Amino acid sequence: MSPAVKCLILLAVVALLFVTELIPLAITAMGGAIACGLLGFIPAKQVFSGLSNSTVVLFAGMFVVGAAMFYTGLAQKIGNTVVHFCGTGENSLMFGLMFVGAALSSVLSNTGTAACLLPVALGICSAAKIPASRQLMPLAFACGLGGIITMVGTPPNIIANGALEAAGIADKFGFFEFAWIGIPVTVAGIIYMMFLGKYLLPKAELDADQEIEQEVEANETSASKQVVSGVILLLVVLTMAIDIKGVSLEMAAIIGAIVCVLTGCLTEKQAYASIDWVTIFLFAGMMPVSTAMDKTGAGKLIAEW
């Protein structure tokens, strides 16, 4: 059996474990990398090379910068303001939730954005006697769609850019280059949900005091820290967008994360807790598997098929 076929079999096993989640996703990813080393697809020193990839550093930095918005309560405040401005009508509320969800998730964690807007949506739906499920599903979709607008909106965008860099391609994606596709897709998704998708939504009642597992709870903090966290995020995004010479995306993200901690927007412990380690290890584990597919010829085999 050729190394390419062996690698494809390993990839199929990894894919099966990802789908079934018989074991944690991070363990599956790291286990795949270790298996590639044990089977001789890649040198042993490359098994954990994904952990030293600069893209992992970018992930970590942006997780912290984004979490500062949640811990200071700024993201929740923005959500409250926009949604209350839109009123309590089903259509206007749906538009408000989807708009603010997409906008925030374009530069923040998709999951964190949805979590911080859940209490807002539940409270207004309870007061207006609107089935909450008819607002929560559009909110979830909007947060997913908004993530594709910028490079840091969702990990796959960063990974795609990292793949270009690893391949030695100098002309990589710009920070807002995804927006040419992301914004039209997001707008189309919002329009669809408001005019067609709403007729397919379930009608489940939820109480305003429904206990919700929050990814990040807002601290009791001053308005000044909310301003500081917003300014830090804005400066990080601008630095990435205008591509300042000598300042890489990773450097901008880590500098922003450090400043967030130094200014008290979140504590060091909260900074560590805000990093999605599953995403980190998924990326770090699958990068060596990708290298193994290239070296064994498995990738070429799939392409030829």
Side-chain angles (χ1 to χ4, degrees):
M1 188 181 297
S2 67
V5 175
K6 290 180 181 178
C7 188
L8 287 178
I9 293 174
L10 173 63
L11 185 65
V13 172
V14 170
L16 179 64
L17 291 175
F18 276 145
V19 172
T20 59
E21 294 190 36
L22 294 176
I23 57 177
L25 298 178
I27 294 178
T28 298
M30 297 308 296
I34 293 172
C36 287
L38 294 175
L39 293 172
F41 298 155
I42 55 176
K45 65 179 181 181
Q46 290 188 8
V47 171
F48 300 110
S49 60
L51 289 170
S52 63
N53 192 288
S54 61
T55 304
V56 170
V57 179
L58 178 56
F59 282 152
M62 289 309 298
F63 279 135
V64 175
V65 173
M69 293 270 290
F70 299 121
Y71 279 116
T72 59
L74 178 59
Q76 293 89 327
K77 185 176 181 179
I78 293 173
N80 273 310
T81 301
V82 174
V83 172
H84 281 295
F85 180 77
C86 290
T88 57
E90 187 175 66
N91 282 342
S92 60
L93 180 59
M94 184 183 295
F95 174 78
L97 283 171
M98 293 191 76
F99 174 80
V100 72
L104 289 175
S105 64
S106 67
V107 288
L108 303 177
S109 161
N110 299 357
T111 308
T113 299
C116 85
L117 291 176
L118 276 177
V120 179
L122 286 175
I124 294 178
C125 287
S126 177
K129 307 299 181 183
I130 299 173
S133 61
R134 296 182 61 79
Q135 301 295 333
L136 297 188
M137 191 180 288
L139 170 63
F141 288 147
C143 290
L145 290 170
I148 63 177
I149 293 176
T150 69
M151 187 193 302
V152 298
T154 185
N157 289 1
I158 304 176
I159 293 172
N161 215 42
L164 291 179
E165 184 177 2
I169 299 174
D171 189 17
K172 297 182 293 182
F173 295 124
F175 186 84
F176 286 113
E177 199 162 352
F178 290 93
W180 290 102
I181 302 296
I183 290 178
V185 169
T186 301
V187 171
I190 292 175
I191 292 174
Y192 170 79
M193 286 305 301
M194 290 188 64
F195 291 97
L196 293 176
K198 67 179 182 180
Y199 296 109
L200 305 176
L201 295 172
K203 295 182 179 180
E205 298 290 346
L206 288 174
D207 295 328
D209 58 355
Q210 183 88 17
E211 188 172 333
I212 300 169
E213 182 182 353
Q214 289 278 34
E215 182 182 71
V216 175
E217 293 282 359
N219 293 332
E220 292 293 333
T221 104
S222 64
S224 61
K225 288 186 179 179
Q226 293 182 352
V227 173
V228 170
S229 66
V231 170
I232 292 172
L233 176 65
L234 180 62
L235 291 176
V236 169
V237 169
L238 286 176
T239 301
M240 291 179 172
I242 61 181
D243 194 19
I244 298 176
K245 188 175 181 180
V247 181
S248 65
L249 299 180
E250 296 80 14
M251 290 173 63
I254 294 301
I255 291 172
I258 291 173
V259 175
C260 284
V261 175
L262 292 179
T263 54
C265 292
L266 74 173
T267 65
E268 182 185 5
K269 185 176 180 180
Q270 289 170 337
Y272 292 138
S274 67
I275 298 174
D276 187 343
W277 292 103
V278 174
T279 299
I280 297 293
F281 282 106
L282 273 174
F283 176 77
M286 292 310 294
M287 280 297 287
V289 175
S290 176
T291 301
M293 290 184 63
D294 181 44
K295 290 191 173 183
T296 60
K300 183 178 179 182
L301 198 59
I302 293 175
E304 289 175 347
W305 285 346

